[in-house]
Amino acid sequence: MHLFTKKNSIARLLPLAIGLIALSNLACAVEPNVIWEHKPDNRPQFYSLLVDTQGDLYARLLSNPIPPAAPVNGVLAFRNVNNAFQEKWLKQYVELEGSKKAAYFNLLLNGDTLVATSQDNGNLLFVERDKGTLLKTVDTGLSDHRLSERDVAASQWSFSKPDEMLYFNGCFADSADPKLLRPTLVGVGFDDSEIKWKKPLAKYRRCGEWGASSYFRPFPSTIDSHGVLHMTQRGTDTSKVPQGYIYSAESNGDALASATFSLAPHQPVMGYDGTLYFLASTNRAQEGTDYTLYASDTDQQPLRSLHTFQINAPVTDPMLPEPIISGSAIYFVDSADKKSWAITKLILDPLETSPAWTFTLPEGDSITSTPAISAAGTLYMGTEKTLYAIDSKTGLEKWSTNKYGVTRQLSIGLNGTLYAIACGNSCIVAIEGDGTPLSNGPWPKFRGDLGNTGQVSSNTEEYPAKLPIEAKIFASHATVKGLQTLTLDGSGSYSDAVGGLKYGWRQTKGPLLKTPIIGASHTRAMIEIPPVSRTAIFSFTLEVSDRDHRKASSAVEVIAHPAAELTPPKFDVFTSARKLADSEDYIVVGGKRVRLTAHLSPLNTLGDPMTYRWIEITKGYKAGLARDRLRDDEVRATIPRVNADTTFTFEFVATNSAGTNRKIVNIRATP
């Protein structure tokens, strides 16, 4: 009898099935542990969340009083004391007289000074961090950079700690024709707040015209390890073929290079090796927007396409969150099905760029905050509807909550607590994280928060939380191809105890190496990464210990790729017989047993099946071979007694997918 005829059985099983489905959904819907919430009744607007190493938080605040009272622009500072919100100070600095434009202030932390930067009027506010005392208000005279009333989406300020300089990337009126706007970089000294220079990024290029509905929108610069500033500008007219610029300039404002592209780039980010990454739209928006993740060397040319996708959902231009880089991966906004927004992880590899995973949002939702990754690998991401925690290794959800609606900004404290501006900017929440601080990467932080992005010296860099003992590794290669010698350097490890450290290197992942680690108990270790038949990941761990018996460890991964061409097996052959002078042959008295051994090279291709054996190819009377039951690379030959010199010939043959290699051993037997 068929199953569908058993109506009574189905009726009895249906409630059980529904219950199992409900339990399954309940198990997946894990809610985070909320430590505290700050949601004032008057629903102020919060912006630019900063966290210092003491755990104190700072946020720009725009009050929302009942008319006709004027809104107030200020800064709120508070402490996370005993897992509870506690106000540190709240200061009012600027009366807005009914205008909300100055709400687009951003906070910057430099030592004990908070700086609020305004893209609306070019003013800078300098505030003492501990008590909130206003130190000075500076009018930089940059209020004429505005392109239109809509140009209030993000700040164009950036900061260089080594130079103690603030940089402003904007568009200013041409001296010969005030209606024309030229791309310009401005340098402002941090100490005296004076404009040091104001220089064009390109002599004959323009951003637009005063009052025009479309223009080229500038983004804040990103600064590489040499102090060179890199900037993008994108056209805002979505009805035309996209156009954008990339500029680079010295720290004194002198233009280095510029390039024009038929694409509209977003915020650029800097990689470990100086490579510039950015997302760009490549067609008219009404056609369904095509996006590409590009990589560019610092000379601006050429662009390399890493990933392309199309989205037919509403586009959040010009606030598309920029990519973030952590470890050997880049995380960026993507779309899996052209209808829904997503975030994708790509492994950055000079030999191969491979997607690791894609996390897709429900249709109708969109990403509203640049993600943040903890040192333990938890990726936090805010959307229009939900706040997510995602395992960055697997791409699987760890927890999520839709309690707070739109999430705009994220920050991670040194104790791992996640802080978020949520509720559509009207609340701040503290959520228990994974116990680790922000990942140490070149761009792991957040848009619109210039005190906590790779554009500026962040608070965790200014006040490093130094652990009592820490293991640090530098690898000479992140990827290898074919046979490669890898050097691992642990000299950056340290301890606050008196005396030196003990070092221990070991392999913890990947195909088993055939050669030992050279210097396994020293500061530096050398490892022979053998050729592989397919891409493999090798992981090595350094453990250090000090005189107080404290230990710390760190790991590094190296990606090994197959060589362009595999080679036949490599080996050497040996025998217990005596070698003849000036000859490759061996000699032995008849009636003896001789051991024949082949030593296969440990650097033969891993993962490539190989067969090998000894054979005797003597013509005529043969000696005979006794094989080892456990190994095919060693045999014993019984050389018979002879009446005259007689040569016995043996051959070792090894074969893999690349071919066959063979070596012959001649043994001369004497009476």
Side-chain angles (χ1 to χ4, degrees), residues 406-553:
V406 181
T407 303
R408 296 295 185 192
Q409 286 193 339
L410 305 174
S411 194
I412 304 176
L414 291 178
N415 64 353
T417 301
L418 174 69
Y419 301 97
I421 294 178
C423 312
N425 289 75
S426 64
C427 74
I428 300 175
V429 296
I431 296 175
E432 183 179 318
D434 61 14
T436 63
L438 198 66
S439 171
N440 183 23
W443 199 280
K445 306 178 185 181
F446 328 105
R447 157 177 293 288
D449 179 357
L450 295 181
N452 206 7
T453 74
Q455 301 163 27
V456 301
S457 178
S458 72
N459 55 288
T460 54
E461 293 166 342
E462 292 173 19
Y463 305 101
K466 199 166 185 179
L467 301 174
I469 181 172
E470 186 173 3
K472 292 186 176 182
I473 303 175
F474 172 79
S476 60
H477 298 77
T479 60
V480 298
K481 192 173 186 178
L483 175 63
Q484 180 69 60
T485 300
L486 173 71
T487 301
L488 300 178
D489 189 341
S491 60
S493 307
Y494 64 86
S495 168
D496 59 10
V498 177
L501 291 170
K502 291 183 178 180
Y503 296 82
W505 298 91
R506 68 182 189 276
Q507 182 186 2
T508 51
K509 181 181 178 182
L512 186 63
L513 298 177
K514 301 299 183 181
T515 56
I517 297 176
I518 302 174
S521 60
H522 293 80
T523 306
R524 292 177 179 84
M526 294 182 63
I527 298 169
E528 291 288 349
I529 301 293
V532 293
S533 59
R534 58 174 179 262
T535 300
I537 298 178
F538 292 84
S539 179
F540 303 96
T541 296
L542 167 65
E543 183 177 271
V544 296
S545 59
D546 59 19
R547 290 189 176 183
D548 294 337
H549 305 291
R550 296 177 301 183
K551 295 181 179 180
S553 62

Side-chain angles (χ1 to χ4, degrees), residues 218-272:
F219 287 93
S221 59
T222 178
I223 307 169
D224 65 23
S225 59
H226 302 289
V228 176
L229 292 89
H230 304 269
M231 296 142 284
T232 57
Q233 290 188 346
R234 66 189 309 272
T236 61
D237 191 345
T238 57
S239 65
K240 296 181 179 179
V241 175
Q243 190 173 4
Y245 307 125
I246 301 178
Y247 302 102
S248 63
E250 296 279 12
S251 57
N252 63 1
D254 290 345
L256 289 175
S258 65
T260 305
F261 300 100
S262 295
L263 49 87
H266 288 259
Q267 172 71 53
V269 302
M270 185 64 62
Y272 291 96

Side-chain angles (χ1 to χ4, degrees), residues 132-457:
T133 305
L134 179 63
L135 302 176
K136 57 183 175 180
T137 302
V138 179
D139 183 356
T140 61
L142 302 179
S143 58
D144 61 339
H145 80 279
R146 294 279 312 282
L147 301 177
S148 78
E149 291 300 314
R150 296 182 301 162
D151 184 25
V152 291
S155 174
Q156 290 98 337
W157 288 95
S158 55
F159 176 65
S160 173
K161 173 67 175 176
D163 303 324
E164 291 290 319
M165 287 286 290
L166 292 156
Y167 298 106
F168 188 87
N169 173 30
C171 295
F172 293 85
D174 184 88
S175 57
D177 186 353
K179 290 185 178 181
L180 292 180
L181 299 169
R182 303 290 187 189
T184 306
L185 185 65
V186 183
V188 179
F190 184 87
D191 291 333
D192 55 17
S193 308
E194 292 184 357
I195 294 179
K196 303 299 182 182
W197 42 260
K198 185 177 179 181
K199 299 181 180 181
L201 289 170
K203 187 174 181 180
Y204 300 108
R205 195 162 288 157
R206 65 182 188 177
C207 301
E209 297 183 4
W210 282 111
S213 60
S214 63
Y215 50 89
F216 285 88
R217 184 184 181 280
F219 287 93
S221 59
T222 178
I223 307 169
D224 65 23
S225 59
H226 302 289
V228 176
L229 292 89
H230 304 269
M231 296 142 284
T232 57
Q233 290 188 346
R234 66 189 309 272
T236 61
D237 191 345
T238 57
S239 65
K240 296 181 179 179
V241 175
Q243 190 173 4
Y245 307 125
I246 301 178
Y247 302 102
S248 63
E250 296 279 12
S251 57
N252 63 1
D254 290 345
L256 289 175
S258 65
T260 305
F261 300 100
S262 295
L263 49 87
H266 288 259
Q267 172 71 53
V269 302
M270 185 64 62
Y272 291 96
D273 58 355
T275 301
L276 206 64
Y277 300 91
F278 59 88
L279 284 165
S281 50
T282 55
N283 70 330
R284 296 179 177 89
Q286 61 265 33
E287 300 173 1
T289 306
D290 293 331
Y291 281 97
T292 299
L293 175 67
Y294 287 104
S296 171
D297 296 331
T298 53
D299 59 3
Q300 315 298 339
Q301 295 280 6
L303 294 182
R304 290 181 284 118
S305 173
L306 302 183
H307 183 81
T308 298
F309 67 95
Q310 186 180 72
I311 184 71
N312 296 324
V315 178
T316 57
D317 286 349
M319 289 298 291
L320 197 66
E322 68 266 27
I324 56 174
I325 299 172
S326 181
S328 60
I330 185 169
Y331 304 80
F332 62 95
V333 174
D334 192 8
S335 176
D337 55 9
K338 299 185 180 181
K339 297 180 181 179
S340 304
W341 289 100
I343 186 167
T344 288
K345 174 183 179 180
L346 283 184
I347 302 299
L348 291 177
D349 189 320
L351 302 174
E352 176 185 355
T353 302
S354 54
W357 51 256
T358 296
F359 184 90
T360 304
L361 300 180
E363 189 172 344
D365 202 0
S366 61
I367 301 172
T368 53
S369 74
T370 298
I373 299 182
S374 72
T378 301
L379 184 146
Y380 302 103
M381 178 179 66
T383 74
E384 290 280 352
K385 302 176 181 179
T386 308
L387 177 61
Y388 291 96
I390 301 168
D391 187 332
S392 67
K393 296 179 179 63
T394 63
L396 299 177
E397 179 182 317
K398 299 176 74 171
W399 55 255
S400 64
T401 179
N402 56 13
K403 179 180 179 181
Y404 301 104
V406 181
T407 303
R408 296 295 185 192
Q409 286 193 339
L410 305 174
S411 194
I412 304 176
L414 291 178
N415 64 353
T417 301
L418 174 69
Y419 301 97
I421 294 178
C423 312
N425 289 75
S426 64
C427 74
I428 300 175
V429 296
I431 296 175
E432 183 179 318
D434 61 14
T436 63
L438 198 66
S439 171
N440 183 23
W443 199 280
K445 306 178 185 181
F446 328 105
R447 157 177 293 288
D449 179 357
L450 295 181
N452 206 7
T453 74
Q455 301 163 27
V456 301
S457 178

